Amino acid sequence: MTLGVVFALALGTYAMRLAGPLLRDRIRISDRWEQLMSIAAIVLLAAFVATSTAFESGGFAGWARFAGVAVGGVLAWRRAPFVLVVVAAAATTALLRLTGIAL
Amino acid sequence: MSTLERTRVGFWRDELLRDVLSMAVAMAVVGASLGAIAVSKGVPLWMITLMGAVVFAGGSEFMVVGLVAAGAAPVTAVLGGLMLNARHLPFGVAVGGLLDRGWPSRLIGSHLMVDESVAFALAQDTLAEKKRAYWLTGIALYCAWAPSVFLGGLLGQGVGDPGAFGLDAAMPAALLALLMPSLREFRTLRAVAVGALVAVLTTPLLPEGLPVMAGLVGLAAALPLPKRLAGEAVR
């Protein structure tokens, strides 16, 4: 690990973060586009949730994580408080690993 | 605004604060494990702490530390991290409107753009609430991240594996909880279902980070948008 790696990643990431807000100043965005952009962000986040639930560095992440996220998802769908969703997901996964039922 | 509504707004604010803080606590544990892992792989403590402060994108930091430790070329590690962070570009287009037009707000607000701050903002109804959620989440997580990376690196192996606490399930579940209200709208749900499926199916084929971007094709399933929402005259 070198400082070059740290700063190259930092600068590149920051450039990608700043690009969106700067782009918006150049173009007039209609309400319809605005709505589409929101859906795009939701789709990206959901795709991120799906891949980080199922995979860990290219391979299957294991049933314990999958079950934890599923429990959290059901609770969220039933409009449970946010904190409960997070804690239940973590607890489910931790317990499955602890008991050795799933990894 | 009725008294009942005002009370509910007051309650909601507390609720947001509570939710953001619980997210920050979970993030801090993840940060501590990043610090511990990095130091165990020979990264100097000051360097991984600096990385937490200037990169502020957890997934890519884990990835780069792992790749470099596995002997990958620095260029490969950086490119891998940047691909994983590519989603911030469309995020910025989506939430850029929440940042005021002044330079300080844009420059600082952009750096606070992470999955959680975007998700918390999208989960709110009004523009004022969205702005507040974005900044609150961004600032809280930023204040939690680098210090927890530092502490984790300092404590080293005592931190343990975040997997033992099930935190690897807590993060996706938290984001899912924030997305859930939007999924009740059928058009968004269609787009999300297609997008998530594409991302999962392309994961074995594409380098890390790109499957999430590929998920954007799901947007096609949300079209056409209803005309009544368009703020322009039909040409």
Side-chain angles (χ1 to χ4, degrees), chain B residues 19-232:
Chain B
D19 293 353
V20 167
L21 287 178
S22 58
M23 185 71 118
V25 170
M27 275 296 251
V29 181
V30 174
S33 74
L34 170 66
I37 289 169
V39 168
S40 75
K41 291 190 192 278
V43 181
L45 181 57
W46 64 268
M47 194 184 281
I48 193 65
T49 308
L50 177 74
M51 193 179 185
V54 297
V55 176
F56 191 45
S60 65
E61 293 169 57
F62 272 102
M63 185 176 173
V64 167
V65 167
L67 283 173
V68 170
V75 175
T76 313
V78 170
L79 281 179
L82 288 179
M83 272 194 289
L84 194 61
N85 289 341
R87 64 184 185 282
H88 292 89
L89 198 98
F91 278 166
V93 178
V95 301
L98 301 180
L99 305 177
D100 294 327
R101 299 185 70 84
W103 279 106
S105 159
R106 278 217 219 90
L107 292 175
I108 297 167
S110 295
H111 193 52
L112 300 177
M113 192 187 295
V114 286
D115 299 298
E116 293 78 10
S117 56
V118 172
F120 264 106
L122 289 172
Q124 314 303 317
D125 296 325
T126 67
L127 184 65
E129 280 176 342
K130 282 179 197 280
K131 275 186 185 175
R132 185 173 175 271
Y134 181 86
W135 285 97
L136 197 64
T137 312
I139 291 168
L141 293 186
Y142 193 73
C143 291
W145 187 247
S148 69
V149 171
F150 177 77
L151 277 177
L154 209 58
L155 299 171
Q157 295 309 298
V159 174
D161 166 30
F165 304 112
L167 277 171
D168 54 319
M171 284 296 158
L175 288 175
L176 187 58
L178 292 170
L179 295 177
M180 202 56 84
S182 314
L183 301 186
R184 295 185 196 278
E185 192 202 14
F186 188 59
R187 271 179 317 111
T188 310
L189 182 61
R190 278 199 317 246
V192 159
V194 175
L197 192 66
V198 168
V200 167
L201 292 179
T202 53
T203 296
L205 314 169
L206 297 172
E208 217 166 346
L210 291 189
V212 169
M213 296 297 277
L216 276 178
V217 302
L219 259 187
L223 300 172
L225 291 179
K227 281 201 169 53
R228 61 178 179 77
L229 287 159
E232 51 189 353

Side-chain angles (χ1 to χ4, degrees), chain A residues 1 10 13-14 16-18 20 24-25 32 35 37 43-44 46 48 51 65 73 77 79 82 89-90 93-94 97, chain B residues 19 51 55-56 68 82 85 90 93-94 97 106-107 110 113 115 163-164 166 168-169 173 180 184 187 215 225 229-230:
Chain A
M1 247 322 245
T13 302
Y14 187 65
M16 289 189 288
R17 280 176 168 143
L18 192 61
R24 291 181 58 105
D25 289 349
R32 198 188 292 204
Q35 215 205 344
M37 288 301 143
V43 169
L44 278 170
F48 182 66
T51 52
R65 183 189 299 182
W77 181 57
R79 294 191 167 90
F82 178 79
T93 302
R97 283 185 186 139
Chain B
D19 293 353
M51 193 179 185
V55 176
F56 191 45
V68 170
L82 288 179
N85 289 341
V93 178
R106 278 217 219 90
L107 292 175
S110 295
M113 192 187 295
D115 299 298
D168 54 319
M180 202 56 84
R184 295 185 196 278
R187 271 179 317 111
L225 291 179
L229 287 159

